[in-house]
């Protein structure tokens, strides 16, 4: 009986990426914990940049300063 | 001091249904745990069908295939 | 696809009360939204009294002062 | 490694107020727990008035009756 | 800035399995969304069997009846 | 109607620190949003070090390597 919530900033996540996250997390839980996937629910929640704070600053402000969350 | 979060797919839940959920959950907690209803908060969160995954698939895809969540 | 989280202070909730909450919430969602109960998950989380704050005070402190959450 | 979620009714919270909440919570955690702010994430979630229930009623109904959440 | 919460019934999840879940989810998010892993936090929460309800019944009761969550 | 959840690693947070967090968050919300503190609930949840992942590693492993979350 797993339930997974993924919160991520709203920055153009596509439908295909969401499907990859859902499939990937469900497969991971199935292979790691041997759970029936019909008992696994995954919920993705996109958060507006004004609503996510990191190190005391809104992500919208960080982005305006050119600071991204991308992997280098 | 109860707090309840109800997450449900966004599929036409009406204002009246939301009120029924809020009233029903609050009454249930009052009768079961004898809690003052003024200390009970209920939050409903509707989730887009692309953002809810079940058994590794987006619910939007399941709905396109004709698979519903309805009670038979 | 509903998921429900119930957070309540840890003050002697019995196994039977938990079962009543689970049954009651699931029945409420089934009757209100016509959802298949096999898609409804309910999670109860008990919170220690030091970890719940109300009006700026720990509930453990409120209880020491004789302030309860009981319905009058 | 703190993560903070703030849920509040959607009633005109401004960008500046959100920044104050993010800055204030991050500073509070830094000063109280001595945590590196680069490990503190704060997420604000606004909830529609139909989706928040208090004492068994939708907040939208309470507001129509003239009942506010303002500090007197 | 992703945050992931994994809720799973407390049924002997080992430290190694938790590490696999954390590593797997973080890698999935890095590869799917190209996020810096230093901004990804994953929290696992185990839930007692009395506290998880499925289809209106406590999982502890389902287990006593021999109903498992295992993949066949 | 605000509800705040604070998740933090379980590393010796004292009762006094919890009270400071509860008081500080409630005061912040009262002063920023002008909310009646009797409608503000704060829940603190401590997470075991094996259950929190950062950058793909369990915090328990990071701590064994001497990596802390302290502000320098």
């Amino acid at each position: 009986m797993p339930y997974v919530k993924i919160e991520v900033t709203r920055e153009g996540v596509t439908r295909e990426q969401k499907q990859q996250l859902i499939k990937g997390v469900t497969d991971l839980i199935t292979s790691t914990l041997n759970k029936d996937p019909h008992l696994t629910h995954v919920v993705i929640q996109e958060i507006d940049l004004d609503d996510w704070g990191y190190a005391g600053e809104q992500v919208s402000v960080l982005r305006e300063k050119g600071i991204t969350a991308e992997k280098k």
Side-chain angles (χ1 to χ4, degrees), chain A:
Chain A
M1 273 79 183
Y3 164 85
V4 180
K5 176 65 124 357
I6 300 174
E7 297 182 0
V8 63
T9 41
R10 193 188 305 278
E11 302 181 88
V13 183
T14 66
R15 193 186 185 201
E16 286 66 33
Q17 286 173 320
K18 289 178 180 178
Q19 175 54 30
Q20 286 173 38
L21 291 175
I22 287 168
K23 182 74 164 56
V25 166
T26 307
D27 286 354
L28 176 69
I29 285 173
T30 304
S31 65
T32 307
L33 300 180
N34 193 35
K35 294 283 186 185
D36 182 348
H38 290 89
L39 296 170
T40 296
H41 293 256
V42 180
V43 171
I44 298 169
Q45 186 174 353
E46 290 177 280
I47 306 290
D48 287 341
L49 300 193
D50 279 355
D51 295 342
W52 195 301
Y54 170 66
E57 283 215 78
Q58 281 171 309
V59 173
S60 56
V61 172
L62 296 174
R63 294 291 178 271
E64 286 164 11
K65 292 181 179 173
I67 301 168
T68 75
E70 283 176 26
K71 187 170 185 296
K72 279 108 201 170

